[in-house]
Amino acid sequence: KYDLAEGMTIREIVKLLRAGAVVNYKATFPEGWTFKQWREKLMGLPHLKQNIIGMSNLEIAEIIGIKGDVEGWFFPDTYYYNFETSDLDLLENAHKKMKEIIALEWSKRSDEKTLNSPYDAIILASLVEKETGYGPDRAKIGSVFLNRLRDKMRLESDPTVIYGLGDSFDGDLKKRHLRSDNPFNTYTRFGLPPTPIASPGRESINVVLSEVKSPYYYFVAMGNGRSYFSKTYREHLAAVKRYQLGNSGRTQ
């Protein structure tokens, strides 16, 4: 598809065609989106060939070359496409970029090596991404999860529970949800969830692999997008009382 202007001469049109200056469109996929959100976005993009409609996530994974679950394997970014591009093409580009980013960041990882594989890094980075409401808090949130992993503590992350609830979640996380066991409930199970819970951005990946040190093991939302971090459970309880009394914000 080419963008021709009224009044263009044959010479100008031929020059445009020879240059291959096709019309491009762009699609932005934010950090922290689930693959379900990616699919919904793809379905609504104009001038994009729709090939994945009716396909299961497993079928998409097999075509693209992903072993296992597709969640988290697509790098959040702005992508450009033209009239001949398909949704599978766009996903393949996003997957290729995620593989490149995780490989580069893994090669520069900390000597601590708390995480066992690049996939573990994507999983933990997805938790950091979903927990971050204020960018500068990202490193501290990552340090809390890493400290807990090292000390064999449960991660206790609300977003993992919400992800595990799937379509049954109505927006109101209750205590019974935290107590109901499933593979993604990090309140009832130790270690990382089985898959990422979203597509993490590069900053979150970098945070978990650089393993920034901190003395913190807990954090609580302050209600302004930022978090309050605590070293001890006693301090954390006081912070919860101060910032979350009467609210339902996340606490770790």
Side-chain angles (χ1 to χ4, degrees), residues 236-252:
H236 175 62
L237 289 179
V240 170
K241 185 176 181 180
R242 178 178 180 183
Y243 295 111
Q244 294 297 324
L245 187 61
N247 297 321
S248 57
R250 75 189 195 287
T251 63
Q252 262 59 49

Side-chain angles (χ1 to χ4, degrees), residues 36 161-170:
K36 179 181 178 181
V161 179
I162 293 170
Y163 185 85
L165 292 172
D167 292 337
S168 67
F169 181 61
D170 63 1

Side-chain angles (χ1 to χ4, degrees), residues 10-183:
I10 295 297
R11 183 183 296 273
E12 290 172 331
I13 293 174
V14 170
K15 183 178 180 180
L16 183 69
L17 297 178
R18 283 179 174 173
V22 297
V23 176
N24 283 314
Y25 307 94
K26 69 177 182 178
T28 299
F29 298 86
E31 292 89 347
W33 267 21
T34 63
F35 185 60
K36 179 181 178 181
Q37 290 174 298
W38 276 69
R39 291 193 66 154
E40 291 171 351
K41 173 85 171 187
L42 288 168
M43 288 181 62
L45 290 177
H47 313 297
L48 184 72
K49 292 182 180 179
Q50 302 290 333
N51 289 343
I52 66 172
I53 294 177
M55 286 188 187
S56 67
N57 286 358
L58 180 58
E59 289 172 324
I60 294 172
E62 289 177 349
I63 292 173
I64 294 177
I66 298 172
K67 294 182 179 179
D69 201 288
V70 296
E71 192 70 83
W73 271 118
F74 303 101
F75 189 75
D77 203 349
T78 295
Y79 295 91
Y80 293 87
Y81 65 96
N82 58 47
F83 205 62
E84 297 179 343
T85 308
S86 73
D87 45 17
L88 274 174
D89 294 331
L90 198 151
L91 287 175
E92 286 177 346
N93 289 338
H95 177 53
K96 179 181 178 182
K97 188 162 187 179
M98 177 59 85
K99 289 195 298 181
E100 291 172 351
I101 294 295
I102 192 63
L104 180 59
E105 294 296 335
W106 182 257
S107 70
K108 301 186 297 182
R109 69 190 186 280
S110 164
D111 292 335
E112 293 290 330
K113 297 181 174 60
T114 301
L115 301 172
N116 296 320
S117 70
Y119 190 56
D120 283 351
I122 294 175
I123 293 175
L124 186 57
S126 73
L127 270 65
V128 172
E129 198 69 69
K130 296 298 285 186
E131 292 279 13
T132 303
Y134 174 64
D137 284 346
R138 195 184 307 271
K140 287 182 182 178
I141 289 173
S143 73
V144 167
F145 287 139
L146 288 164
N147 284 341
R148 288 186 168 211
L149 285 174
R150 295 188 196 100
D151 289 1
K152 311 301 181 186
M153 297 172 64
R154 284 185 286 262
L155 297 181
E156 298 185 351
S157 171
D158 290 359
T160 66
V161 179
I162 293 170
Y163 185 85
L165 292 172
D167 292 337
S168 67
F169 181 61
D170 63 1
D172 184 16
L173 190 64
K174 298 182 173 62
K175 285 186 178 180
R176 62 181 173 83
H177 295 138
L178 306 183
R179 296 169 180 166
S180 180
D181 183 54
N182 70 65

Side-chain angles (χ1 to χ4, degrees), residues 208-221:
V208 301
L209 286 176
S210 61
E211 301 203 30
V212 176
K213 296 289 186 180
S214 86
Y216 303 116
Y217 284 81
Y218 307 89
F219 62 88
V220 59

